[in-house]
Amino acid sequence: MNATRRRTYRTRPLLAALVLAAGSVSGMAATAGTASADGQTCEQFGSATTPGGYIVQNNAWGTSAPQCVNQVGDGFELTTADGSVSTGGAPKSYPSIYVGCHYTNCSPGTNLPKQVSAIGSVPSQIEYKYTGGAVYDAAFDIWLDPAPKTDGVNQTEIMIWLNKVGPIQPIGSKTGTATIAGQTWDVWKGNNGGNDVVSYVAPSALTGLSFDVKDFVNGAISEGLATPDWYLTSVQAGFEPWENGAGLAVTTFSASVN
């Protein structure tokens, strides 16, 4: 996919989940196409289905440099991530794992899109493995739209940055802080030229998180960026690298829409 398919950007210093309401913390997305049963993909928009019914996507939408992801259980490792892009602009890719629908590629048996008002909870868990020598963020990417879309860009994007390395920042500007999932987050709001974005940024790196995604969806509603009659279309977790990135991994991912 091209940048328009992933999301439309303006030039900026940048621009990505889910846990029981109490929240606990440990220290610190695919395009159209057929998903394979498992294993590695180096195709720009290649994907693989995990044993738990999630989709791992390479999603190298912003680069022509070699990039490969290796699906491992309900997770993945970025095994090749060559090249770099300006840290004053968009990242080069979003290798990730997700539940729901992304450019018509829907995870097996998903009940998304689903109207927010009909969702009781979305418990989720994530564990990340980080590496050196790279500029990146580790982020959830949660998509909301007034319609039950299974293709194209949604109107509102929620990003949850558990970690960022290098001179990068979310889209827009910092507007305050919020306490969600038992953590305090810096809140950034803006528009990338294609959709509204609200980002929740951890003040220091987290390697994992367990929480309820709906708490962040409710946060976006309180920010005026969605309403309860909108639809949740996908929940994604991965990395946005600007420079290198081989060795970054999601070791655990789970999310269920109740």
Side-chain angles (χ1 to χ4, degrees), residues 25-179:
V25 180
S26 58
M28 357 199 258
T31 63
T34 303
S36 61
D38 54 44
Q40 186 178 83
T41 178
C42 298
E43 296 178 10
Q44 188 176 16
F45 305 116
S47 63
T49 302
T50 78
Y54 307 112
I55 291 179
V56 167
Q57 59 176 348
N58 198 28
N59 201 12
W61 61 270
T63 182
S64 59
Q67 178 173 296
C68 300
V69 293
N70 188 26
Q71 174 258 315
V72 182
D74 288 333
F76 70 90
E77 182 175 3
L78 190 56
T79 56
T80 301
D82 296 348
S84 63
V85 294
S86 170
T87 56
K92 59 181 180 172
S93 61
Y94 184 56
S96 49
I97 183 171
Y98 71 90
V99 62
C101 297
H102 183 85
Y103 287 93
T104 73
N105 194 6
C106 297
S107 57
T110 185
N111 57 352
L112 296 177
K114 191 174 183 67
Q115 200 163 40
V116 171
S117 61
I119 297 173
S121 63
V122 188
S124 179
Q125 183 178 8
I126 186 76
E127 294 290 338
Y128 285 109
K129 184 185 80 172
Y130 300 136
T131 189
V135 174
Y136 64 92
D137 67 61
F140 276 86
D141 209 7
I142 302 164
W143 291 95
L144 302 170
D145 197 81
K149 296 179 70 172
T150 60
D151 192 10
V153 176
N154 290 187
Q155 188 165 317
T156 290
E157 177 182 18
I158 304 168
M159 300 199 81
I160 307 170
W161 285 25
L162 275 70
N163 190 16
K164 73 180 188 73
V165 177
I168 56 174
Q169 68 182 45
I171 284 173
S173 57
K174 183 179 174 181
T175 59
T177 61
T179 300

Side-chain angles (χ1 to χ4, degrees), residues 15-16 18 26 61 63 80 101 103 141 150 187 197 211-212 217 225 243:
L15 244 149
L18 320 155
S26 58
W61 61 270
T63 182
T80 301
C101 297
Y103 287 93
D141 209 7
T150 60
V187 180
V197 185
F211 65 105
D212 188 343
V217 172
L225 299 180
E243 298 177 5

